[in-house]
Amino acid sequence: MAGVTAPLRVLIVDDDALVRAGLAMMLDGACGITVVAEAADGDEVPAAADAHAPGVVLMDLRMPRVDGITATRRLRARPDPPEVIVLTTFDSDEDVLRALRAGASGYLLKDTPPDQIVQAVRQVAAGDPILSPRVVRRLMDRAAADAAAGLRARAALDGLTPREREVVLGVARGRSNAAIAAELYMSVATVKAHVSSVLTKLDLDNRTQIALLAHDAGML
């Protein structure tokens, strides 16, 4: 019939049966949304997607056999993939970044109010990503911390001589003293002297710390 829009098809993936039941009840009660299937683990997702062609998948993060990151990556590699919202209790920076890199369009925490979960499903289906406000704050804090670390690292390296900075770059690239000496046309003894000077000036203990500082400063 003209003017009638097909309902938005949702697949729920979670190893907790009570969570699946609660989400299904909530979403099926929302106008224009229908839950077409449920899966209890990430390894059940491909078959469920093949059988039911969901437009949006609500994906748990931690599951016994195949985790939500792996399941999301596999889904997003398919032709015409559904959008994925990770819905989890875990909000560590690493979990969020891994999910987004795997192709998730949203990342929500399970304490998100029901109406906001419904809105998130509609939003990602329309092509707009969604993140929990708490997740956004964590990412902003991480970005600020990374920026501050970069400023401190660059300020520290500014106190080195140009030759010492060249040696630092070689160390950061994992080069041996001999390889650095060959690249910079100096003796191995001179390279060792520069490394010792850098460690003293920057109050560092070893070459690994030099490499990390160079990374934070954006030298690599």
Side-chain angles (χ1 to χ4, degrees), residues 167 177-178 180-181 186-197:
V167 170
N177 286 341
I180 295 171
M186 62 176 67
S187 69
V188 173
T190 301
V191 173
K192 289 181 178 178
H194 282 313
V195 171
S196 295
S197 177

mmCIF file with all atom_site columns, all heavy atoms in Angstrom, residues 167 177-178 180-181 186-197:
data_model
loop_
_atom_site.group_PDB
_atom_site.id
_atom_site.type_symbol
_atom_site.label_atom_id
_atom_site.label_alt_id
_atom_site.label_comp_id
_atom_site.label_asym_id
_atom_site.label_entity_id
_atom_site.label_seq_id
_atom_site.pdbx_PDB_ins_code
_atom_site.Cartn_x
_atom_site.Cartn_y
_atom_site.Cartn_z
_atom_site.occupancy
_atom_site.B_iso_or_equiv
_atom_site.pdbx_formal_charge
_atom_site.auth_seq_id
_atom_site.auth_comp_id
_atom_site.auth_asym_id
_atom_site.auth_atom_id
_atom_site.pdbx_PDB_model_num
ATOM 1   N N   . VAL A 1 167 ? 68.982 10.412 16.907 1.00 0.00 ? 167 VAL A N   1
ATOM 2   C CA  . VAL A 1 167 ? 69.223 9.135  17.581 1.00 0.00 ? 167 VAL A CA  1
ATOM 3   C C   . VAL A 1 167 ? 67.938 8.635  18.240 1.00 0.00 ? 167 VAL A C   1
ATOM 4   O O   . VAL A 1 167 ? 67.619 7.442  18.191 1.00 0.00 ? 167 VAL A O   1
ATOM 5   C CB  . VAL A 1 167 ? 70.360 9.281  18.613 1.00 0.00 ? 167 VAL A CB  1
ATOM 6   C CG1 . VAL A 1 167 ? 70.455 8.023  19.486 1.00 0.00 ? 167 VAL A CG1 1
ATOM 7   C CG2 . VAL A 1 167 ? 71.686 9.547  17.916 1.00 0.00 ? 167 VAL A CG2 1
ATOM 8   N N   . ASN A 1 177 ? 72.113 0.098  17.898 1.00 0.00 ? 177 ASN A N   1
ATOM 9   C CA  . ASN A 1 177 ? 73.122 1.161  17.876 1.00 0.00 ? 177 ASN A CA  1
ATOM 10  C C   . ASN A 1 177 ? 73.923 1.130  16.588 1.00 0.00 ? 177 ASN A C   1
ATOM 11  O O   . ASN A 1 177 ? 74.236 2.174  16.009 1.00 0.00 ? 177 ASN A O   1
ATOM 12  C CB  . ASN A 1 177 ? 74.052 1.031  19.090 1.00 0.00 ? 177 ASN A CB  1
ATOM 13  C CG  . ASN A 1 177 ? 73.391 1.462  20.375 1.00 0.00 ? 177 ASN A CG  1
ATOM 14  O OD1 . ASN A 1 177 ? 72.387 2.166  20.361 1.00 0.00 ? 177 ASN A OD1 1
ATOM 15  N ND2 . ASN A 1 177 ? 73.939 1.036  21.498 1.00 0.00 ? 177 ASN A ND2 1
ATOM 16  N N   . ALA A 1 178 ? 74.242 -0.078 16.136 1.00 0.00 ? 178 ALA A N   1
ATOM 17  C CA  . ALA A 1 178 ? 75.026 -0.207 14.896 1.00 0.00 ? 178 ALA A CA  1
ATOM 18  C C   . ALA A 1 178 ? 74.241 0.319  13.698 1.00 0.00 ? 178 ALA A C   1
ATOM 19  O O   . ALA A 1 178 ? 74.796 0.999  12.819 1.00 0.00 ? 178 ALA A O   1
ATOM 20  C CB  . ALA A 1 178 ? 75.420 -1.664 14.680 1.00 0.00 ? 178 ALA A CB  1
ATOM 21  N N   . ILE A 1 180 ? 71.780 2.542  13.737 1.00 0.00 ? 180 ILE A N   1
ATOM 22  C CA  . ILE A 1 180 ? 71.679 3.998  13.851 1.00 0.00 ? 180 ILE A CA  1
ATOM 23  C C   . ILE A 1 180 ? 72.982 4.652  13.423 1.00 0.00 ? 180 ILE A C   1
ATOM 24  O O   . ILE A 1 180 ? 72.989 5.661  12.703 1.00 0.00 ? 180 ILE A O   1
ATOM 25  C CB  . ILE A 1 180 ? 71.319 4.398  15.296 1.00 0.00 ? 180 ILE A CB  1
ATOM 26  C CG1 . ILE A 1 180 ? 69.924 3.884  15.666 1.00 0.00 ? 180 ILE A CG1 1
ATOM 27  C CG2 . ILE A 1 180 ? 71.376 5.919  15.464 1.00 0.00 ? 180 ILE A CG2 1
ATOM 28  C CD1 . ILE A 1 180 ? 69.576 4.047  17.126 1.00 0.00 ? 180 ILE A CD1 1
ATOM 29  N N   . ALA A 1 181 ? 74.112 4.063  13.844 1.00 0.00 ? 181 ALA A N   1
ATOM 30  C CA  . ALA A 1 181 ? 75.420 4.599  13.472 1.00 0.00 ? 181 ALA A CA  1
ATOM 31  C C   . ALA A 1 181 ? 75.599 4.611  11.956 1.00 0.00 ? 181 ALA A C   1
ATOM 32  O O   . ALA A 1 181 ? 76.083 5.596  11.375 1.00 0.00 ? 181 ALA A O   1
ATOM 33  C CB  . ALA A 1 181 ? 76.523 3.772  14.131 1.00 0.00 ? 181 ALA A CB  1
ATOM 34  N N   . MET A 1 186 ? 77.951 7.910  11.927 1.00 0.00 ? 186 MET A N   1
ATOM 35  C CA  . MET A 1 186 ? 78.721 8.155  13.152 1.00 0.00 ? 186 MET A CA  1
ATOM 36  C C   . MET A 1 186 ? 79.158 6.818  13.717 1.00 0.00 ? 186 MET A C   1
ATOM 37  O O   . MET A 1 186 ? 78.683 5.767  13.277 1.00 0.00 ? 186 MET A O   1
ATOM 38  C CB  . MET A 1 186 ? 77.898 8.951  14.168 1.00 0.00 ? 186 MET A CB  1
ATOM 39  C CG  . MET A 1 186 ? 76.634 8.262  14.651 1.00 0.00 ? 186 MET A CG  1
ATOM 40  S SD  . MET A 1 186 ? 75.723 9.184  15.949 1.00 0.00 ? 186 MET A SD  1
ATOM 41  C CE  . MET A 1 186 ? 75.165 10.616 15.068 1.00 0.00 ? 186 MET A CE  1
ATOM 42  N N   . SER A 1 187 ? 80.026 6.827  14.678 1.00 0.00 ? 187 SER A N   1
ATOM 43  C CA  . SER A 1 187 ? 80.492 5.585  15.280 1.00 0.00 ? 187 SER A CA  1
ATOM 44  C C   . SER A 1 187 ? 79.470 5.049  16.263 1.00 0.00 ? 187 SER A C   1
ATOM 45  O O   . SER A 1 187 ? 78.615 5.787  16.776 1.00 0.00 ? 187 SER A O   1
ATOM 46  C CB  . SER A 1 187 ? 81.822 5.811  15.993 1.00 0.00 ? 187 SER A CB  1
ATOM 47  O OG  . SER A 1 187 ? 81.619 6.616  17.149 1.00 0.00 ? 187 SER A OG  1
ATOM 48  N N   . VAL A 1 188 ? 79.566 3.735  16.537 1.00 0.00 ? 188 VAL A N   1
ATOM 49  C CA  . VAL A 1 188 ? 78.684 3.124  17.517 1.00 0.00 ? 188 VAL A CA  1
ATOM 50  C C   . VAL A 1 188 ? 78.898 3.759  18.884 1.00 0.00 ? 188 VAL A C   1
ATOM 51  O O   . VAL A 1 188 ? 77.943 3.987  19.637 1.00 0.00 ? 188 VAL A O   1
ATOM 52  C CB  . VAL A 1 188 ? 78.910 1.601  17.571 1.00 0.00 ? 188 VAL A CB  1
ATOM 53  C CG1 . VAL A 1 188 ? 78.107 0.977  18.724 1.00 0.00 ? 188 VAL A CG1 1
ATOM 54  C CG2 . VAL A 1 188 ? 78.509 0.945  16.262 1.00 0.00 ? 188 VAL A CG2 1
ATOM 55  N N   . ALA A 1 189 ? 80.152 4.068  19.196 1.00 0.00 ? 189 ALA A N   1
ATOM 56  C CA  . ALA A 1 189 ? 80.441 4.698  20.487 1.00 0.00 ? 189 ALA A CA  1
ATOM 57  C C   . ALA A 1 189 ? 79.742 6.046  20.610 1.00 0.00 ? 189 ALA A C   1
ATOM 58  O O   . ALA A 1 189 ? 79.244 6.408  21.690 1.00 0.00 ? 189 ALA A O   1
ATOM 59  C CB  . ALA A 1 189 ? 81.952 4.863  20.659 1.00 0.00 ? 189 ALA A CB  1
ATOM 60  N N   . THR A 1 190 ? 79.691 6.788  19.516 1.00 0.00 ? 190 THR A N   1
ATOM 61  C CA  . THR A 1 190 ? 79.021 8.092  19.548 1.00 0.00 ? 190 THR A CA  1
ATOM 62  C C   . THR A 1 190 ? 77.518 7.923  19.742 1.00 0.00 ? 190 THR A C   1
ATOM 63  O O   . THR A 1 190 ? 76.887 8.684  20.486 1.00 0.00 ? 190 THR A O   1
ATOM 64  C CB  . THR A 1 190 ? 79.298 8.870  18.247 1.00 0.00 ? 190 THR A CB  1
ATOM 65  O OG1 . THR A 1 190 ? 80.703 9.047  18.099 1.00 0.00 ? 190 THR A OG1 1
ATOM 66  C CG2 . THR A 1 190 ? 78.620 10.219 18.264 1.00 0.00 ? 190 THR A CG2 1
ATOM 67  N N   . VAL A 1 191 ? 76.941 6.921  19.091 1.00 0.00 ? 191 VAL A N   1
ATOM 68  C CA  . VAL A 1 191 ? 75.513 6.647  19.282 1.00 0.00 ? 191 VAL A CA  1
ATOM 69  C C   . VAL A 1 191 ? 75.233 6.310  20.736 1.00 0.00 ? 191 VAL A C   1
ATOM 70  O O   . VAL A 1 191 ? 74.285 6.831  21.348 1.00 0.00 ? 191 VAL A O   1
ATOM 71  C CB  . VAL A 1 191 ? 75.048 5.493  18.371 1.00 0.00 ? 191 VAL A CB  1
ATOM 72  C CG1 . VAL A 1 191 ? 73.603 5.101  18.702 1.00 0.00 ? 191 VAL A CG1 1
ATOM 73  C CG2 . VAL A 1 191 ? 75.149 5.887  16.912 1.00 0.00 ? 191 VAL A CG2 1
ATOM 74  N N   . LYS A 1 192 ? 76.071 5.452  21.328 1.00 0.00 ? 192 LYS A N   1
ATOM 75  C CA  . LYS A 1 192 ? 75.894 5.089  22.731 1.00 0.00 ? 192 LYS A CA  1
ATOM 76  C C   . LYS A 1 192 ? 75.970 6.322  23.627 1.00 0.00 ? 192 LYS A C   1
ATOM 77  O O   . LYS A 1 192 ? 75.196 6.468  24.587 1.00 0.00 ? 192 LYS A O   1
ATOM 78  C CB  . LYS A 1 192 ? 76.953 4.078  23.147 1.00 0.00 ? 192 LYS A CB  1
ATOM 79  C CG  . LYS A 1 192 ? 76.764 2.686  22.546 1.00 0.00 ? 192 LYS A CG  1
ATOM 80  C CD  . LYS A 1 192 ? 77.857 1.744  23.029 1.00 0.00 ? 192 LYS A CD  1
ATOM 81  C CE  . LYS A 1 192 ? 77.659 0.345  22.480 1.00 0.00 ? 192 LYS A CE  1
ATOM 82  N NZ  . LYS A 1 192 ? 78.747 -0.578 22.920 1.00 0.00 ? 192 LYS A NZ  1
ATOM 83  N N   . ALA A 1 193 ? 76.888 7.224  23.288 1.00 0.00 ? 193 ALA A N   1
ATOM 84  C CA  . ALA A 1 193 ? 77.031 8.449  24.084 1.00 0.00 ? 193 ALA A CA  1
ATOM 85  C C   . ALA A 1 193 ? 75.781 9.307  23.973 1.00 0.00 ? 193 ALA A C   1
ATOM 86  O O   . ALA A 1 193 ? 75.313 9.886  24.969 1.00 0.00 ? 193 ALA A O   1
ATOM 87  C CB  . ALA A 1 193 ? 78.255 9.225  23.617 1.00 0.00 ? 193 ALA A CB  1
ATOM 88  N N   . HIS A 1 194 ? 75.221 9.403  22.769 1.00 0.00 ? 194 HIS A N   1
ATOM 89  C CA  . HIS A 1 194 ? 73.989 10.178 22.579 1.00 0.00 ? 194 HIS A CA  1
ATOM 90  C C   . HIS A 1 194 ? 72.824 9.549  23.346 1.00 0.00 ? 194 HIS A C   1
ATOM 91  O O   . HIS A 1 194 ? 72.014 10.265 23.963 1.00 0.00 ? 194 HIS A O   1
ATOM 92  C CB  . HIS A 1 194 ? 73.644 10.278 21.099 1.00 0.00 ? 194 HIS A CB  1
ATOM 93  C CG  . HIS A 1 194 ? 74.448 11.285 20.349 1.00 0.00 ? 194 HIS A CG  1
ATOM 94  N ND1 . HIS A 1 194 ? 74.666 12.566 20.811 1.00 0.00 ? 194 HIS A ND1 1
ATOM 95  C CD2 . HIS A 1 194 ? 75.075 11.207 19.141 1.00 0.00 ? 194 HIS A CD2 1
ATOM 96  C CE1 . HIS A 1 194 ? 75.395 13.241 19.929 1.00 0.00 ? 194 HIS A CE1 1
ATOM 97  N NE2 . HIS A 1 194 ? 75.658 12.429 18.911 1.00 0.00 ? 194 HIS A NE2 1
ATOM 98  N N   . VAL A 1 195 ? 72.714 8.216  23.299 1.00 0.00 ? 195 VAL A N   1
ATOM 99  C CA  . VAL A 1 195 ? 71.632 7.535  24.017 1.00 0.00 ? 195 VAL A CA  1
ATOM 100 C C   . VAL A 1 195 ? 71.764 7.803  25.516 1.00 0.00 ? 195 VAL A C   1
ATOM 101 O O   . VAL A 1 195 ? 70.769 8.111  26.195 1.00 0.00 ? 195 VAL A O   1
ATOM 102 C CB  . VAL A 1 195 ? 71.650 6.021  23.732 1.00 0.00 ? 195 VAL A CB  1
ATOM 103 C CG1 . VAL A 1 195 ? 70.672 5.294  24.664 1.00 0.00 ? 195 VAL A CG1 1
ATOM 104 C CG2 . VAL A 1 195 ? 71.281 5.740  22.281 1.00 0.00 ? 195 VAL A CG2 1
ATOM 105 N N   . SER A 1 196 ? 72.966 7.706  26.044 1.00 0.00 ? 196 SER A N   1
ATOM 106 C CA  . SER A 1 196 ? 73.199 7.984  27.471 1.00 0.00 ? 196 SER A CA  1
ATOM 107 C C   . SER A 1 196 ? 72.825 9.415  27.818 1.00 0.00 ? 196 SER A C   1
ATOM 108 O O   . SER A 1 196 ? 72.213 9.685  28.864 1.00 0.00 ? 196 SER A O   1
ATOM 109 C CB  . SER A 1 196 ? 74.661 7.719  27.830 1.00 0.00 ? 196 SER A CB  1
ATOM 110 O OG  . SER A 1 196 ? 74.979 6.357  27.678 1.00 0.00 ? 196 SER A OG  1
ATOM 111 N N   . SER A 1 197 ? 73.176 10.344 26.938 1.00 0.00 ? 197 SER A N   1
ATOM 112 C CA  . SER A 1 197 ? 72.846 11.747 27.165 1.00 0.00 ? 197 SER A CA  1
ATOM 113 C C   . SER A 1 197 ? 71.337 11.963 27.186 1.00 0.00 ? 197 SER A C   1
ATOM 114 O O   . SER A 1 197 ? 70.806 12.693 28.037 1.00 0.00 ? 197 SER A O   1
ATOM 115 C CB  . SER A 1 197 ? 73.485 12.619 26.091 1.00 0.00 ? 197 SER A CB  1
ATOM 116 O OG  . SER A 1 197 ? 73.125 13.976 26.249 1.00 0.00 ? 197 SER A OG  1
#
